[in-house]
Amino acid sequence: TSVNSPKATAPSSPKVTFYRRELPEDLVSFTSADGRKLFKESLNTGYAEGYFNLAGNFTVQSEPAYCGPSSLAMVLNALEVDPGRRWKGVWRWYSDELLESCRTESDLKANGITFDQFLCLASSHAQVIAKRGTTASREEFVRDIKYVTQRDDVFMVLSFARAAMGQTGDGHFSPIGAFHEGSNQALVLDSARYKYPSWFGDVDRLYDSLQPVDPETNLPRGYFLISRRDSRLDLSLLASSNVDHDSKDSSGIVDLPERPADVFPTTLSCGKKSSCCSAKQL
């Protein structure tokens, strides 16, 4: 007698689907008339210098929980970092599904990555400074936004609580693309473009959105400053709230000393060393 093998059960499709979410009224859609006006003024005042690098490499996350890897892939491609690993065909390129974290693929798809895991992953490919919302002051956060939006060789990725911005969902990662000084708003290039458009939001509220505790780690969220490892910038100096962001040489470029060999923390709050992703480097 033959024994019939049980057929694999296909995953059930959700009964309710959505085409985007309504952006809260106090956030300004990037593509609206007001959003375009804010962006033009940001560009004219020199606070959107890195926008085109990011926009030219914008990546919509390939999975609902891939906001962290997607934001990192966007920044690494904007910095023109060579991953040293084939993407498709003969081409080397960063994509979110190739940025392997300390989590298994199934866990990553279900839960995404935490603040520390983003730091672990990013520091395997770039020079990174991480600042939690409770350790960076509001003034420091504003200074850092102004600093990165005036350059195209360093970028900021936020790890924030969507609910604090009046949005649905919980933790989210996305890069900053511009700053509008007159209204104190920053442009968030939302990696979940299927859910929300890119938007301008009040910087004070963005700072407040870094404070809520991530229930998985019992620690607040924060933000990251990311540049190439071979950059002349020493991001370790930006870890101090006393750094002079406006110190420039005759060429107008911030003149920072040679970067130390290791500016990353040796132990993460997850209990793993900062090299925990080294075996999966691209």
Side-chain angles (χ1 to χ4, degrees), residues 16-81:
V16 178
T17 61
F18 300 93
Y19 177 74
R20 313 191 84 172
R21 290 284 194 183
E22 192 74 25
L23 196 66
E25 292 183 358
D26 54 352
L27 302 180
V28 182
S29 173
F30 176 47
T31 57
S32 68
D34 288 340
R36 295 182 187 192
K37 181 175 183 293
L38 289 172
F39 177 73
K40 289 177 183 177
E41 292 174 357
S42 298
L43 190 62
N44 289 337
T45 54
Y47 285 119
E49 291 302 303
Y51 167 79
F52 295 101
N53 300 60
L54 288 170
N57 294 282
F58 185 86
T59 303
V60 176
Q61 58 197 70
S62 62
E63 294 284 344
Y66 274 22
C67 54
S70 175
S71 295
L72 180 57
M74 199 186 319
V75 166
L76 292 173
N77 288 327
L79 290 169
E80 298 184 349
V81 176

Side-chain angles (χ1 to χ4, degrees), residues 47-48 76 78 81 94 116 132 149 208 252 261-262 273:
Y47 285 119
L76 292 173
V81 176
Y94 281 104
D116 278 337
R132 290 200 183 270
T149 54
D208 292 339
D262 183 6
K273 300 294 183 180

Side-chain angles (χ1 to χ4, degrees), residues 72-93:
L72 180 57
M74 199 186 319
V75 166
L76 292 173
N77 288 327
L79 290 169
E80 298 184 349
V81 176
D82 184 346
R85 175 180 170 181
R86 186 175 69 87
W87 167 59
K88 293 180 181 180
V90 299
W91 304 108
R92 299 191 300 271
W93 194 250

Side-chain angles (χ1 to χ4, degrees), residues 9-15:
T9 303
S12 60
S13 299
K15 294 182 179 180

